[in-house]
Amino acid sequence: MSSRIEQLLAELTPEEKVSLLSGEDFWSVPAVERLGIGKLRVTDGPNGARGGGSLIGGVKSASFPVGIALGATWNVGLVTEIGAALADEVKSKGAHVLLAPTVNIHRSVTNGRNFECYAEDPILSAELAVGYIKGLQGQGVSATIKHFVGNESEIERTTISSEIGERALREIYLIPFEWAVKKAGTWGVMSSYNRLNGTFTSEHNWLLSTVLRQEWGYDGIVMSDWFGSHSTAATVNAGLDLEMPGPARDRGQKLVAAVNAGEVSVAMLDQRVLAMLRLMERVGSLDDHRTFQEHANDRPEHRALIRRAGSEAAVLLKNDGILPLAGSGKIAVIGPNAKTAQIMGGGSAQLNAHYRISPWEGLATALGEDRLSFAPGCTNHRFEPVLRGTFKVEYFANQTLAGEPAHIGSMDDAQAFWVGHVADGKVDPLHFSARISGVFTPEETGEHRVGIYAAGFGRVFIDGKLIADAWTGWTKGRTFFEEGCDEVVGTINLEAGRAHQVAIEFSTKEFATLGLAAFAVGIGLPLGDAAIAQAVDAARDAETAVLFIGRNGEWDTEGSDLPGILLPGRQNELVEAVAAANPRTVVVLQTGGPIEMPWADKVAAVLEAWYPGQEAGNAIADVLTGAAEPGGRLPQTFPVRWADNPAHSQDREVYPDLEGKVRYEEGIFVGYRYYDRVGMTPLYPFGYGLGYTSFELNDLVIDDSGFESDGKLIVSLAATNTGDRPGSTVVQLYVSDDKSTEPRPVKELKAFEKLHLEPGEQRSVSFLLDARCFAWYREAAHHWLVEAGGFTIRVGQSSADLPLTGSVTRSTTLMLAV
């Protein structure tokens, strides 16, 4: 602790101390001008830095690949580069803290936020988190690793109790956070919304004080997720430093009163304040008195990095020799994601990207548009397409659209996300109404679908007729972070070329947890059999058909889990029809996690491209044409069907929830650990991915000279590129306990290294394993235990391809402190 912050603490009044422990507004902690303490500003991440704007619109930002895409790179160095680049983005938005990375585990295949997280495996997640944090904080910007802990589902996430045994917590869910503290020195941690075993994590003393601070030695801050604090004394005493957002709800004068009443000691208050001052000193906000400004810095080096990372994230799941594309024949570009750039997931991670490159644009640039033909085939949207255009907005300082407007403004597109500051401050952001008016001119005549969903009451009129009503009988659904209703859809016949008058009425309502107001209105014309027939004709007339299918940020989103892992809409039907017409069919998937692929054996190639950021189309085209290697390996097992996933259960308390609880019954057997345990072969295993060259691993050597004394081991081997072009692979090392007194996984990932080798190049790889690599957590004794007996070392290029094996043995047990 520096003498400066000690001096500041001594000079702060009780009220000033308390002011530093809650937000001033949605994105900042107040300054203390009397002592020259500047304002601390935060911004959402993790795949960019949105700044202080709404989730919709705002100052433009660079859009990087999402978390699962970075997980698929298995490249710690690359993720460190991205962390450093994100520091530039944070600074361009006038902020000091990035709310990232997200390291919750892929427990299920249907979690709406899997796209934002790295992996199903704690070691892969932890290694990448360490790189991300070091890159970010190396540039003076604080990370805020999240969500601590047990937020593996978006269903009732603000109230649910995640019932997780301590062994599963220690061996799976806490490891990325532990490494972030011990190996990366993270300056920030964000508590999750949920309860952990009955207690909100924001007031969980065992979690925030015993584990995080006492056992791990953490000296940074813990902030609440937005509106995730539920008490005053309990949160402060448990270890929650900062309540967000502001203005204060549970702190402020309530905390002053709690200190005066002896519910919170002065010493405890000072601990919380010192943590905040320490963070402010680390990120330089103590002395940051600049006028707040946000800039849209579209940097060429960020463009190049995003494109490179997008290619390295792409996982080639199948290739019958059709890729990379060669020759000069006609290519049919088909599918709902072909001309739409799906660059990110939904929720707090979304931002206003500088630009979006679609796969069509990427292929047109790489191959020439004259070689391409296009057919959409079908749709894959969850909601009707947002109504685009410029709209007049009349704001009323009441909830009944009564009287004269308090403010008149405009909006681009028929959607809004209002938080904190609305209509230039002329209405209460939680108690207002609005009338939005504009026109819609259809391109085709026919029966159109009109949809609206809202965190508030909303309805849509076209040419004066009520078409979609989300006002009367409003019911809570799975939109806008569970504050909104599900989409309400009506139909109307519209005439091509005619400017139809559109009026949208909106009013706020009481919120459950998150204080926000929002709506989205869309109008769409359904595609039918004719669209699939058109796609089949295009495929039949081309040498190669490339199908761009999957999901989008409406499906893969914060605040809503997936209903399953079948492709939405008629996409499976489209693949079957196109593959029947042209056996040279390549499927390019964009999803935030696994899908079922009933057509996998009928297509020539499958590429999983995830949501790779603003350079999506260029990165995908680079891989398809061979300008770049498909460098990704799966960070999550792809099961044959949803029912194969360990979280899938007839018991609703296991998933999705029952009476306020979700029970992690599978314990430590998450992902590949489960499939190994039950002997089930997945569609594609964890760690799997093909490239455009081949690799051999050999010469495994194990140095166990220190294994008996301290549990350490050195494993070395040689990796060779045996193909005729440069390429990459991931060398993966797994450990098996041959005989344990408690159930353990068949194998567990303990180390890995991404290699890029030229043709014929050979490189030595070494791994240093410590005692924790062989230990399991014994709950009753509260320690890690390495048991006497044999262990098997397995090395290969996926969890299902481990040709190199070796054995080591201990004659004594070894107990390790937490």
Side-chain angles (χ1 to χ4, degrees):
M1 178 166 50
S2 74
S3 58
R4 182 184 183 191
I5 63 175
E6 285 184 315
Q7 182 63 35
L8 286 172
L9 179 67
E11 295 177 5
L12 286 164
T13 68
E15 290 75 15
E16 288 169 339
K17 290 178 182 179
V18 167
S19 74
L20 295 176
L21 302 184
S22 58
E24 179 179 53
D25 51 33
F26 231 74
W27 305 113
S28 70
V29 175
V32 180
E33 295 181 3
R34 183 180 69 86
L35 297 177
I37 297 174
K39 185 176 296 190
L40 178 76
R41 292 188 175 88
V42 307
T43 176
D44 261 328
N47 51 284
R50 186 178 61 251
S54 166
L55 299 188
I56 298 168
V59 178
K60 290 190 173 182
S61 304
S63 175
F64 287 77
V66 299
I68 197 170
L70 298 186
T73 70
W74 292 64
N75 189 333
V76 177
L78 175 64
V79 174
T80 304
E81 282 187 71
I82 288 172
L86 286 169
D88 294 334
E89 290 293 307
V90 173
K91 292 173 183 178
S92 76
K93 299 303 181 286
H96 311 95
V97 178
L98 185 67
L99 306 180
T102 309
V103 296
N104 297 105
I105 298 296
H106 297 162
R107 176 189 178 233
S108 73
V109 292
T110 50
N111 178 19
R113 216 164 177 179
N114 273 349
F115 78 90
E116 197 175 319
C117 312
Y118 293 136
E120 70 183 29
D121 183 83
I123 299 301
L124 176 56
S125 298
E127 289 274 20
L128 296 174
V130 168
Y132 186 105
I133 293 166
K134 285 184 175 179
L136 187 66
Q137 293 188 171
Q139 303 302 312
V141 171
S142 176
T144 316
I145 194 168
K146 60 187 187 183
H147 305 88
F148 194 53
V149 66
N151 179 196
E152 275 72 41
S153 169
E154 292 299 286
I155 295 174
E156 301 294 336
R157 65 181 182 145
T158 59
T159 56
I160 199 76
S161 178
S162 297
E163 304 290 302
I164 313 174
E166 187 178 355
R167 184 179 174 200
L169 280 169
R170 297 282 190 173
E171 294 189 24
I172 304 292
Y173 299 100
L174 288 176
I175 284 179
F177 297 96
E178 181 182 4
W179 283 35
V181 172
K182 293 181 176 179
K183 299 189 178 187
T186 186
W187 297 337
V189 172
M190 180 186 289
S191 62
S192 54
Y193 282 123
N194 54 279
R195 293 176 168 92
L196 175 64
N197 299 324
T199 302
F200 279 114
T201 63
S202 59
E203 53 192 54
H204 204 297
N205 188 75
W206 176 82
L207 184 66
L208 303 186
S209 288
T210 302
V211 174
L212 182 62
R213 289 192 167 89
Q214 294 173 22
E215 294 178 1
W216 296 350
Y218 180 59
D219 69 352
I221 73 152
V222 180
M223 72 171 68
S224 73
D225 206 336
W226 267 227
F227 303 97
S229 169
H230 303 275
S231 61
T232 301
T235 59
V236 175
N237 290 332
L240 186 77
D241 300 293
L242 178 62
E243 175 201 39
M244 287 298 288
R249 298 170 312 285
D250 298 321
R251 299 196 173 181
Q253 287 304 309
K254 290 181 181 179
L255 181 50
V256 172
V259 173
N260 290 337
E263 297 170 6
V264 174
S265 69
V266 173
M268 183 64 72
L269 179 70
D270 286 353
Q271 282 185 37
R272 304 282 82 85
V273 175
L274 276 172
M276 288 300 299
L277 292 172
R278 187 181 299 116
L279 174 65
M280 292 173 164
E281 185 174 52
R282 284 168 164 168
V283 300
S285 72
L286 281 178
D287 300 311
D288 188 352
H289 304 289
R290 295 171 297 172
T291 301
F292 175 61
Q293 289 183 319
E294 294 186 321
H295 301 283
N297 292 342
D298 184 6
R299 300 170 182 246
E301 63 271 26
H302 289 180
R303 289 184 170 214
L305 177 59
I306 292 166
R307 183 168 180 167
R308 174 161 55 93
S311 297
E312 191 159 343
V315 184
L316 186 58
L317 298 172
K318 179 180 180 180
N319 187 18
D320 288 348
I322 193 172
L323 295 178
L325 296 172
S328 57
K330 197 79 173 177
I331 297 173
V333 179
I334 298 169
N337 285 354
K339 285 193 172 182
T340 301
Q342 305 295 358
I343 69 172
M344 66 183 86
S348 61
Q350 69 192 55
L351 48 78
N352 189 15
H354 291 303
Y355 56 87
R356 297 167 176 247
I357 305 296
S358 71
W360 171 270
E361 292 168 318
L363 284 174
T365 299
L367 301 175
E369 193 167 341
D370 58 332
R371 284 187 60 187
L372 310 180
S373 62
F374 170 71
C378 66
T379 62
N380 66 354
H381 53 249
R382 176 181 172 188
F383 308 117
E384 294 306 314
V386 170
L387 179 57
R388 306 295 181 185
T390 301
F391 296 85
K392 177 184 177 181
V393 188
E394 298 171 284
Y395 294 92
F396 299 86
N398 55 68
Q399 293 173 278
T400 59
L401 300 154
E404 293 297 315
H407 180 72
I408 297 177
S410 65
M411 63 173 56
D412 294 329
D413 308 334
Q415 59 180 341
F417 190 92
W418 290 298
V419 290
H421 190 77
V422 179
D424 288 343
K426 295 177 182 177
V427 300
D428 181 338
L430 298 178
H431 300 92
F432 73 95
S433 55
R435 181 180 291 114
I436 301 96
S437 55
V439 299
F440 172 64
T441 305
E443 294 182 0
E444 297 182 44
T445 297
E447 186 177 74
H448 287 67
R449 288 167 55 88
V450 180
I452 181 171
Y453 55 99
F457 303 113
R459 52 197 171 204
V460 186
F461 300 83
I462 296 185
D463 296 333
K465 180 181 179 182
L466 178 62
I467 304 301
D469 185 357
W471 193 304
T472 308
W474 187 97
T475 303
K476 181 182 177 181
R478 299 180 301 127
T479 64
F480 294 121
F481 311 103
E482 294 187 311
E483 293 289 346
C485 62
D486 290 331
E487 186 180 39
V488 176
V489 177
T491 59
I492 184 173
N493 282 302
L494 300 176
E495 181 183 338
R498 177 185 166 190
H500 294 273
Q501 298 298 313
V502 178
I504 304 160
E505 294 182 346
F506 175 87
S507 176
T508 58
K509 62 179 294 296
E510 293 303 310
F511 60 91
T513 302
L514 310 181
L516 58 90
F519 79 90
V521 169
I523 300 181
L525 185 65
L527 296 179
D529 293 344
I532 291 182
Q534 181 188 17
V536 167
D537 289 342
R540 189 178 290 117
D541 292 342
E543 179 181 79
T544 304
V546 185
L547 271 164
F548 292 92
I549 59 174
R551 299 193 295 254
N552 54 44
E554 296 173 350
W555 296 100
D556 291 300
T557 182
E558 180 179 356
S560 175
D561 273 13
L562 295 159
I565 60 170
L566 284 171
L567 284 170
R570 300 179 68 180
Q571 292 181 97
N572 281 338
E573 185 181 347
L574 175 65
V575 177
E576 297 271 2
V578 168
N582 189 335
R584 289 178 54 83
T585 293
V586 177
V587 172
V588 179
L589 295 167
Q590 286 197 263
T591 65
I595 62 160
E596 296 180 24
M597 301 183 205
W599 36 259
D601 61 347
K602 300 175 184 177
V603 300
V606 180
L607 180 73
E608 173 61 82
W610 319 107
Y611 303 125
Q614 64 194 30
E615 286 281 336
N618 287 332
I620 292 169
D622 286 345
V623 171
L624 292 176
T625 61
E629 174 83 0
R633 302 297 182 263
L634 287 182
Q636 185 178 18
T637 305
F638 275 41
V640 174
R641 56 194 187 122
W642 180 28
D644 296 342
N645 184 249
H648 189 280
S649 176
Q650 297 302 311
D651 184 346
R652 286 188 57 87
E653 192 174 280
V654 174
Y655 185 84
D657 71 310
L658 181 65
E659 297 179 353
K661 295 180 180 180
V662 58
R663 188 176 79 252
Y664 289 39
E665 186 177 60
E666 70 283 355
I668 62 172
F669 295 97
V670 181
Y672 66 90
R673 293 165 170 82
Y674 170 81
Y675 298 102
D676 284 349
R677 186 187 195 193
V678 300
M680 183 185 296
T681 301
L683 181 62
Y684 297 110
F686 174 77
Y688 170 81
L690 305 173
Y692 293 152
T693 187
S694 57
F695 287 83
E696 286 186 1
L697 307 181
N698 47 47
D699 299 335
L700 182 72
V701 176
I702 298 176
D703 178 357
D704 62 354
S705 57
F707 190 54
E708 183 68 37
S709 61
D710 57 17
K712 291 182 179 179
L713 206 67
I714 300 173
V715 179
S716 59
L717 64 140
T720 306
N721 181 346
T722 56
D724 58 4
R725 60 173 284 157
S728 63
T729 191
V730 179
V731 180
Q732 302 169 36
L733 184 152
Y734 296 77
V735 170
S736 303
D737 189 340
D738 298 341
K739 185 178 180 180
S740 176
T741 56
E742 290 291 330
R744 296 195 69 180
V746 172
K747 61 180 179 290
E748 297 180 276
L749 180 74
K750 294 300 178 183
F752 62 89
E753 185 171 339
K754 184 75 170 278
L755 297 177
H756 297 265
L757 301 181
E758 296 296 317
E761 183 182 359
Q762 183 179 86
R763 189 175 303 169
S764 296
V765 180
S766 292
F767 299 109
L768 173 62
L769 307 183
D770 63 16
R772 275 279 294 269
C773 293
F774 304 91
W776 59 276
Y777 186 78
R778 186 155 61 174
E779 289 187 25
H782 302 292
H783 64 222
W784 293 89
L785 181 68
V786 183
E787 293 189 292
F791 296 85
T792 300
I793 308 299
R794 308 177 191 276
V795 182
Q797 297 177 77
S798 84
S799 63
D801 174 25
L802 300 168
L804 303 184
T805 62
S807 298
V808 293
T809 303
R810 287 183 56 85
S811 61
T812 59
T813 61
L814 180 62
M815 290 179 289
L816 308 171
V818 290

